[in-house]
Amino acid sequence: MAKSNVFTVAQLKSLPVGKHCDGQGLWLHKRADGGAQWTFRFQLWGRQREMGIGSFKRIGLGEARKKADWVRLQVQADIDPVKQRRLERQQSNSRDGRLESLAWEAYGTHKASLKHGGADGLWVSPLRLHLLPKLGKMPIVKIDQDDIAHALAPIWHEKPVTAKKALSRLRTVFKYARAKGFLVNRAVIEEAVILLGENKKPVRQSLSLPWSGVPALYATLSDDDPVQLALRMLILTGVRADSVNNMQLGQIEGEMWQIPPLHVKGRASNTAGFDVPLSQEALHVIALAKKQEQNGYLFPNARGGPLNKMAMRNHLVETNVAARPHGFRASLRTWLSDQTDCPFEIAEACIGHVRKGDAAIDTYNRTAYVMKRATFMTDWAAYVSGKT
């Protein structure tokens, strides 16, 4: 066995610069700048490791040997003392271990995969508004199902979609905390749902017009108002409002609209974006919109930026139309099912739904059905504009 307790306190003070072993893994590293550091070397699972014990100025020889004994016992018990010490520090009530701090850290690592890079704050909003005010200061390891249920009770039945989003964000934060080494119990989230009870309030779907009523509405939309031109483009293409609000002249290539991934739901990490075949009626709307174009935006707001996200909705409300922009996607999708022989995959592709099926099939079948979609979208445009 290696010798231990080699040095005395007096000898330590006179040691030269370098690394000196007190025995059984305890070392003192004296630096040229006058400082010195205690370390402990050990071997575990076939790996050589070194763990800092503390500064020589703050920890004397006797205390360093006691700390070395603790590390030695950990190693003998097949425990990595470096990881164990980190876990113990993280389980303390320090600010770094509180929900609010970890929530923002998790958001920081997650937002790169979000639309707009998470800059709009929509992802973190349910957490920030409904959980952090009540639980943010708590150490995450001490949060239980009662805490979560109490925080979400005011919105659980009144705002079920928001409440479920808050829980989804909390799951992400708990996973992140677990990955960092915090011994959180992720099961408390599901137990909180049991305490809150079943939510029977139906999710309200976007108001939509029956497809038979769309041509009459389309006929009322003007040729010179950016908001109404945007609504025409929305109806003709079946895309989401954000894509139309941010539509730019540079995205048009011949008879194709190339929507960048930033403005396509679920495509933030897809560099290909989404290609929309344009009918002759859609190209006509673009030609009209060019007269209003500002800073590249085909449907600009008053300051020359992208159209306000509420502009099309407000027009429908002001004209007493019982529909919302997102609902026209349902009108198109229902028309495709009722009035055409459009296959399911192509109909879903027409409204930009991303199919999540067999991974092997998705790997090899990379088509977006652009040419086949073009035929059906041309028929839809002709129907909507009253040309058939």
Side-chain angles (χ1 to χ4, degrees), residues 52-90:
I53 290 181
S55 167
F56 179 56
K57 290 183 178 180
R58 294 173 48 207
I59 298 177
L61 179 59
E63 187 177 355
R65 286 171 175 167
K66 290 180 180 179
K67 288 180 176 290
D69 289 339
W70 176 85
V71 177
R72 202 173 293 114
L73 288 173
Q74 295 287 307
V75 175
Q76 290 172 358
D78 208 32
I79 297 172
D80 187 337
V82 177
K83 291 184 177 180
Q84 185 65 22
R85 184 172 64 180
R86 184 172 66 244
L87 286 173
E88 290 178 357
R89 287 177 177 174
Q90 288 178 335

Side-chain angles (χ1 to χ4, degrees), residues 86-363:
R86 184 172 66 244
L87 286 173
E88 290 178 357
R89 287 177 177 174
Q90 288 178 335
Q91 304 317 311
S92 67
N93 292 344
S94 65
R95 182 174 300 175
D96 289 343
R98 300 188 183 186
L99 177 64
E100 185 168 19
S101 176
L102 288 166
W104 287 108
E105 284 184 33
Y107 175 52
T109 60
H110 186 63
K111 66 181 181 181
S113 64
L114 300 174
K115 193 173 183 180
H116 306 294
D120 54 14
L122 293 179
W123 187 90
V124 78
S125 180
L127 268 176
R128 180 176 56 82
L129 295 177
H130 304 291
L131 287 173
L132 295 186
K134 295 180 179 178
L135 306 180
K137 303 303 180 184
M138 289 185 66
I140 195 167
V141 296
K142 295 187 177 181
I143 294 175
D144 61 22
Q145 59 269 36
D146 290 313
D147 299 318
I148 299 171
H150 176 72
L152 291 180
I155 64 168
W156 184 249
H157 295 287
E158 296 302 317
K159 299 178 180 179
V161 174
T162 302
K164 290 179 180 178
K165 285 182 179 180
L167 279 180
S168 174
R169 305 324 186 235
L170 189 63
R171 288 188 185 97
T172 299
V173 176
F174 268 49
K175 288 178 182 178
Y176 175 81
R178 185 75 183 187
K180 287 202 70 175
F182 291 92
L183 300 179
V184 296
N185 180 9
R186 287 184 285 171
V188 299
I189 297 178
E190 311 314 321
E191 291 167 359
V193 174
I194 295 173
L195 293 178
L196 287 163
E198 183 180 357
N199 194 329
K200 296 183 178 181
K201 186 174 182 179
V203 176
R204 188 176 65 181
Q205 297 179 332
S206 296
L207 294 174
S208 64
L209 285 181
W211 54 261
S212 58
V214 177
L217 169 65
Y218 190 85
T220 69
L221 301 174
S222 76
D223 290 346
D224 53 12
D225 174 37
V227 176
Q228 295 182 58
L229 286 171
L231 195 50
R232 288 172 68 173
M233 181 60 63
L234 180 91
I235 293 171
L236 291 169
T237 58
V239 301
R240 293 176 173 84
D242 184 64
S243 300
V244 175
N245 293 337
N246 291 276
M247 189 175 185
Q248 297 187 42
L249 192 58
Q251 298 169 3
I252 310 301
E253 291 286 343
E255 297 182 355
M256 193 71 63
W257 174 17
Q258 298 175 339
I259 306 177
L262 180 63
H263 300 298
V264 182
K265 183 178 180 181
R267 306 290 180 92
S269 60
N270 181 356
T271 56
F274 183 59
D275 291 341
V276 179
L278 296 169
S279 63
Q280 290 302 309
E281 179 65 17
L283 291 171
H284 172 62
V285 172
I286 290 172
L288 295 172
K290 285 181 180 179
K291 302 174 185 178
Q292 310 285 340
E293 176 262 330
Q294 292 187 53
N295 301 320
Y297 291 104
L298 284 170
F299 312 112
N301 61 26
R303 297 181 179 180
L307 192 66
N308 186 283
K309 64 181 182 179
M310 298 296 289
M312 288 187 281
R313 179 189 183 279
N314 291 342
H315 174 78
L316 294 171
V317 172
E318 291 166 3
T319 54
N320 296 315
V321 177
R324 296 297 177 263
H326 197 77
F328 290 105
R329 290 164 51 78
S331 305
L332 166 60
R333 184 63 181 83
T334 308
W335 178 84
L336 287 169
S337 295
D338 288 351
Q339 296 294 303
T340 76
D341 57 357
C342 183
F344 176 84
E345 292 83 359
I346 298 173
E348 288 293 284
C350 283
I351 57 174
H353 277 175
V354 180
R355 184 180 70 88
K356 295 181 179 179
D358 186 279
I361 294 176
D362 293 343
T363 298

